[in-house]
Amino acid sequence: MAYLLRHPGEVALRTLQHLEIVAIAIGIALALALPLGVLAARSARVRGPLLVLLNAIYTLPSLAVLAFLVTYFGLGLVTTEIALVAYAQMVLVRNISVGLLGVPAAMREAALGLGMTPLQSLLRVEFPQALPVIVAGLRLATVATISIATLAGKIDAGGLGALLFAGLDNDDPNRIVAGSLAAATLAIGADLALRGCERLAVSRTR
Amino acid sequence: MSAAGAAVSMRDIVVCYAGADRRAVDDVSLDVAAGEFVVLLGPSGCGKSTLLRTINRLVVPAAGTIALDGRDARDQTPEALRRGIGYVIQAVGLFGHLSVGRNVAIVPELLGWERDRIAARVDELLALVRLEPARYRDRMPRELSGGEQQRVGVARALAAEPRVLLMDEPFGAVDAIVRTALQDETLRIHRALGTTILFVTHDVDEALRLADRIVVMNAGKIVQADVPLRVLAKPASDYVAELMDAKDAVRRLQLLRARDAMAPPGAPTKGRIDAERSLREALSQLLEGSDRLSVVEGERECGTLGFEDVRGAIAATER
């Protein structure tokens, strides 16, 4: 608390950095997961192996993955984002495909029967219907990413992790408390905000 | 775009599903006249739904051609074809995240109609299926009863004035009273718009009530195609006779009008019946204690009807 009060600029900067790392990761992860999720929903042959692969990545210890990636991509933001995007894929692809598979067959039948192209059916009917499940996945992925992103501080990518590791290295509990508080606030805030979106999506579809 | 019906011509249609040991539709040809109400009737698995779905290319036949008003259905993209063909399914398939009005507006939106025209059309259609536009336009599908949902489904299918309407067991999931009401609405809409309707059902009574012509199917083939009364009175095979329960004479009475059986006026009567009512209703009145009914057109007696006339009408259908 003392650190937070004495260095509000430093904490704010690290928080913004952290948000930036997370936003880039989730943006890229979504852009990747949307086509993969659609593919998985359309083809059972793709779905099985793809989810096994993503699940395997998801179970790897994050610090080990980060250390491994550093040997190829060096220290910094790029390495961090690669790890974060890879971790988020499992939850995102799973929820997107499960959400799409949960759309009643009659709706897709009606959409095509009325003359929608498969893409129109996807965008106008299936995604809106699957939105609650997809947003739930987005929430889980975002909260996990906020947490894993603290490791970025260890490999010179900044964020709240930098504050935490500096605190650990310098035996400065004040910095650790400030970093932890900020990280927890971010995670809880994102969770609450996306829960709100989820409820909104549910109320619009059911 | 004309609202009147289009002729549908199916030639040598074959449909094979992967892994099935026989053809789902086995070399079927069927001509449906513009404005005709044809019911495809048969047990599940007989190929009636599959045949229906070849018309809007949700099922692509392995062989054969389909033409609407002489124009090969393959001349346009499947999407363009489907936007010109109404489609109603048993599960309704309303889009739960869109209001009733937005559901009905789907096809006009796909066709790029202007806002005002769509809004006017939506209200017109809701009124057509007897859902008061001001009350229903902005409600969500989940707030409606099953019968109301299917009314919206019918309105949605008719939105862009299709010349052909495909209905796949549309009233199979609603209770008997609602089903009868929806059948009446369908007949009224058919008379009002002149749309060609192909209607799939396994319910014999529904087929008898609705059809200009009944097409009976079995194992992927058409086994009889004729007006309802002849399918009942002259079943083409034991299969058709059994399916239609053709020995049930009372069923046939439902298809005959008092006018068809009446004797000349003059004899003493008790009770009256409108000339357009069915002989089944006439028989019911006779059984309630009259030996002879007066058959009326408005207030004027045009004939009389007794038991022997009803029996004679039944016998005549078998000749």
Side-chain angles (χ1 to χ4, degrees):
Chain A
M1 223 23 140
Y3 186 87
L4 185 66
L5 294 175
R6 262 181 288 126
H7 305 274
E10 165 79 359
V11 177
L13 176 76
R14 291 302 187 193
T15 305
L16 282 179
Q17 262 180 4
H18 203 86
L19 268 179
E20 191 186 358
I21 294 169
V22 171
I24 292 172
I26 290 295
I28 296 173
L30 257 187
L32 214 63
L34 282 171
L36 286 177
V38 172
L39 197 65
R42 291 280 189 267
S43 158
R45 263 196 307 200
V46 172
R47 184 165 63 250
L50 181 63
L51 287 179
V52 167
L53 173 73
L54 295 178
N55 202 44
I57 296 173
Y58 188 70
T59 51
L60 296 174
S62 41
L63 193 54
V65 169
L66 218 48
F68 177 78
L69 287 174
V70 166
T71 60
Y72 288 93
F73 300 100
L75 298 171
L77 190 62
V78 174
T79 306
T80 307
E81 296 294 0
I82 292 173
L84 292 180
V85 168
Y87 271 104
Q89 285 308 293
M90 202 283 283
V91 175
L92 288 177
V93 171
R94 184 193 62 193
N95 278 47
I96 290 168
S97 60
V98 166
L100 290 175
L101 286 169
V103 177
M107 282 196 201
R108 196 171 141 76
E109 166 96 0
L112 297 179
L114 291 168
M116 288 192 194
T117 62
L119 185 65
Q120 283 171 330
S121 166
L122 191 66
L123 297 181
R124 290 181 174 219
V125 176
E126 295 166 74
F127 269 131
Q129 281 296 316
L131 205 57
V133 183
I134 295 176
V135 174
L138 182 64
R139 177 171 62 79
L140 294 175
T142 304
V143 172
T145 303
I146 289 173
S147 139
I148 301 172
T150 50
L151 295 178
K154 199 76 197 166
I155 60 167
D156 293 351
L160 289 166
L163 210 56
L164 291 170
F165 287 114
L168 284 172
D169 292 344
N170 300 319
D171 212 4
D172 179 358
N174 282 333
R175 274 199 238 189
I176 298 178
V177 170
S180 306
L181 270 179
T185 308
L186 263 190
I188 293 170
D191 188 68
L192 287 177
L194 286 164
R195 267 181 207 281
C197 295
E198 223 175 299
R199 266 196 297 276
L200 194 68
V202 168
S203 73
R204 286 171 57 97
T205 45
R206 297 285 176 269
Chain B
M1 197 185 297
S2 153
V8 179
S9 168
M10 288 175 260
R11 281 279 156 277
D12 310 317
I13 302 295
V14 175
V15 177
C16 312
Y17 285 129
D21 52 354
R22 64 169 179 82
R23 293 166 164 186
V25 174
D26 192 0
D27 199 15
V28 166
S29 295
L30 177 66
D31 281 301
V32 179
E36 195 178 10
F37 196 139
V38 166
V39 173
L40 304 176
L41 178 68
S44 24
C46 73
K48 56 193 193 298
S49 269
T50 303
L51 182 65
L52 188 82
R53 287 154 53 90
T54 60
I55 297 172
N56 62 2
R57 291 191 79 75
L58 283 174
V59 170
V60 179
T65 55
I66 294 168
L68 303 181
D69 266 349
R71 183 182 174 197
D72 194 316
R74 287 169 299 191
D75 287 354
Q76 39 189 338
T77 64
E79 286 78 26
L81 177 76
R82 289 171 196 153
R83 287 169 197 175
I85 297 177
Y87 186 46
V88 183
I89 56 180
Q90 181 177 339
V92 191
L94 294 184
F95 304 135
H97 60 292
L98 299 178
S99 68
V100 165
R102 293 287 313 280
N103 265 281
V104 176
I106 290 284
V107 182
E109 278 176 10
L110 291 173
L111 291 170
W113 289 17
E114 281 175 20
R115 245 168 200 281
D116 294 351
R117 185 175 170 210
I118 293 177
R121 182 65 182 152
V122 166
D123 284 2
E124 188 186 345
L125 282 158
L126 289 177
L128 180 72
V129 297
R130 299 193 201 266
L131 296 173
E132 195 190 317
R135 261 188 70 203
Y136 284 92
R137 195 192 297 126
D138 298 321
R139 293 174 75 179
M140 299 305 279
R142 64 177 171 276
E143 300 168 345
L144 307 184
S145 70
E148 288 170 331
Q149 288 188 17
Q150 195 52 290
R151 282 169 193 264
V152 177
V154 172
R156 182 173 68 174
L158 291 171
E161 302 181 345
R163 303 183 60 208
V164 177
L165 180 61
L166 309 179
M167 307 182 85
D168 194 349
E169 307 216 21
F171 311 139
V174 294
D175 65 59
I177 294 173
V178 175
R179 190 181 315 139
T180 306
L182 288 170
Q183 287 165 352
D184 287 340
E185 300 293 332
T186 307
L187 283 172
R188 186 177 54 78
I189 289 168
H190 178 244
R191 274 193 289 268
L193 303 182
T195 313
T196 306
I197 299 183
L198 283 98
F199 188 110
V200 163
T201 186
H202 60 261
D203 177 343
V204 174
D205 286 314
E206 184 166 68
L208 293 173
R209 280 199 77 196
L210 296 175
D212 291 333
R213 189 153 58 110
I214 294 178
V215 173
V216 184
M217 292 188 68
N218 186 29
K221 287 183 178 296
I222 293 177
V223 289
Q224 187 170 8
D226 213 330
V227 296
L229 189 58
R230 267 213 293 279
V231 176
L232 265 189
K234 302 245 175 199
S237 64
D238 291 346
Y239 168 79
V240 178
E242 197 183 332
L243 178 75
M244 303 296 297
D245 202 0
K247 288 202 199 83
D248 183 352
V250 175
R251 200 163 236 180
R252 256 176 276 170
L253 291 179
Q254 210 174 318
L255 297 170
L256 294 164
R257 296 168 305 164
R259 176 191 300 289
D260 301 326
M262 66 189 182
T269 60
K270 183 178 160 204
R272 49 163 49 189
I273 186 164
D274 189 277
E276 297 303 319
R277 308 303 294 191
S278 76
L279 280 187
R280 185 171 174 165
E281 289 166 79
L283 180 65
S284 170
Q285 281 195 38
L286 289 168
L287 288 171
E288 273 165 16
S290 163
D291 284 333
R292 186 156 278 279
L293 296 169
S294 174
V295 180
V296 296
E297 281 175 334
E299 286 303 308
R300 193 181 64 83
E301 178 177 279
C302 56
T304 63
L305 191 68
F307 282 108
E308 71 281 10
D309 301 313
V310 175
R311 191 178 298 125
I314 291 282
T317 62
E318 279 161 14
R319 278 200 290 276

